[in-house]
Amino acid sequence: MSQKRRQSTFYALIMLLMTSLVSCSAAPIEEEITRKAMPVDMSGHWEIDFAKSDNLQDQLNAVGRQIRREAARRERLAKEGQGFAGGPLPGRRDLLTLARLAEIITEPSLLEIIQATGRTRVKRENSFALVCETDGSAIAVTTDLLGEQRCGWDDSQLFFMLTLQEGLEVTHRLSRSEEGEVLLLVTSVETPGTRFPLVVSQFFKRYDPDNLGFRCERSLTKGKVCTTR
């Protein structure tokens, strides 16, 4: 499948899941505050380390606890006759939408990173690639009918920020260990229906694609499933 078709398929899934949320208002994206760019070499092939990576269900439970604490705080303030700021708290359907979106976005278990001067391409298995062309500037901004993408180097971290017209915000941050054998990908997903971001940390380790004889996937319903190639 071509990158353009994969991107179209991805956006189609996103749009379908966002249908129930389009009537919600979304706050404008905050300006990304970055440090001096210090790019590092992340090039190569990477496979996910499930043992070290976050479990999506655990992270969703953490968001649920945040919402319950906020609900308790609002209830306490209301009893004391005090006001509070903030929109309606998300319901179960909003959280399920958030979880499904995060599952789709963090599904790729294999990455290939290709770097050149001013350009970085992160190829993701069964998904479209993340491409950043800074052209000597600290931050690159691209806009199309679907939304806006910002990308660049924040010190030694490579980041991609995607904001769709419907209010979905996705941020990817990649950083490499000092020894160069471990890659950390932190993904934040926030919908206009929740305004509580779901943050998932995934660790990747280097691998030789010619020696990989199996692949693994993890989902909310089936857990970790491995198959031979």
Side-chain angles (χ1 to χ4, degrees):
M1 183 183 295
S2 66
Q3 178 184 339
K4 185 175 182 180
R5 181 174 295 179
R6 286 177 178 172
Q7 185 169 2
S8 298
T9 302
F10 172 83
Y11 280 131
L13 288 169
I14 295 297
M15 296 303 180
L16 180 62
L17 287 168
M18 292 293 290
T19 299
S20 61
L21 301 174
V22 293
S23 61
C24 301
S25 62
I29 185 171
E30 297 180 357
E31 290 293 326
E32 179 72 4
I33 300 176
T34 60
R35 298 159 288 180
K36 181 179 179 181
M38 298 183 64
V40 299
D41 184 10
M42 299 181 181
S43 59
H45 293 84
W46 304 86
E47 64 175 332
I48 194 169
D49 187 336
F50 284 107
K52 294 182 179 180
S53 300
D54 285 341
N55 181 285
L56 184 56
Q57 184 62 60
D58 291 341
Q59 300 309 106
L60 182 61
N61 291 341
V63 173
R65 289 192 292 270
Q66 283 183 278
I67 295 172
R68 288 194 293 272
R69 286 195 296 268
E70 176 62 15
R73 184 186 73 86
R74 294 186 181 189
E75 183 179 2
R76 183 180 68 255
L77 291 175
K79 289 180 179 179
E80 296 173 354
Q82 302 181 41
F84 55 84
L89 293 176
R92 177 177 175 80
R93 186 177 67 174
D94 297 319
L95 290 179
L96 290 176
T97 299
L98 178 66
R100 182 56 183 145
L101 287 169
E103 183 178 31
I104 294 172
I105 293 167
T106 62
E107 182 180 22
S109 59
L110 298 178
L111 307 177
E112 181 184 359
I113 301 180
I114 303 169
Q115 284 181 258
T117 303
R119 190 177 194 271
T120 304
R121 177 183 172 89
V122 182
K123 297 174 64 176
R124 302 180 296 165
E125 184 186 35
N126 297 325
S127 186
F128 70 92
L130 299 172
V131 180
C132 186
E133 296 181 340
T134 55
D135 193 25
S137 59
I139 300 176
V141 181
T142 56
T143 305
D144 56 29
L145 294 176
L146 295 170
E148 178 183 89
Q149 176 183 277
R150 293 170 177 260
C151 67
W153 289 93
D154 180 6
D155 193 25
S156 59
Q157 292 185 350
L158 176 65
F159 71 88
F160 297 85
M161 299 179 63
L162 175 66
T163 304
L164 297 185
Q165 296 288 353
E166 287 74 16
L168 173 68
E169 296 181 8
V170 181
T171 301
H172 299 288
R173 280 186 171 268
L174 296 102
S175 55
R176 195 206 68 183
S177 63
E178 290 187 4
E179 66 277 10
E181 296 303 312
V182 178
L183 189 73
L184 172 62
L185 171 59
V186 179
T187 301
S188 173
V189 183
E190 184 173 331
T191 68
T194 58
R195 311 315 302 179
F196 286 81
L198 177 56
V199 181
V200 181
S201 296
Q202 296 173 295
F203 288 86
F204 291 78
K205 54 189 177 182
R206 291 189 183 277
Y207 80 96
D208 183 349
D210 295 329
N211 294 332
L212 190 64
F214 62 92
R215 67 186 299 271
C216 296
E217 295 180 345
R218 174 178 283 167
S219 68
L220 287 170
T221 55
K222 297 181 180 180
K224 180 181 177 182
V225 178
C226 297
T227 56
T228 58
R229 289 184 179 276

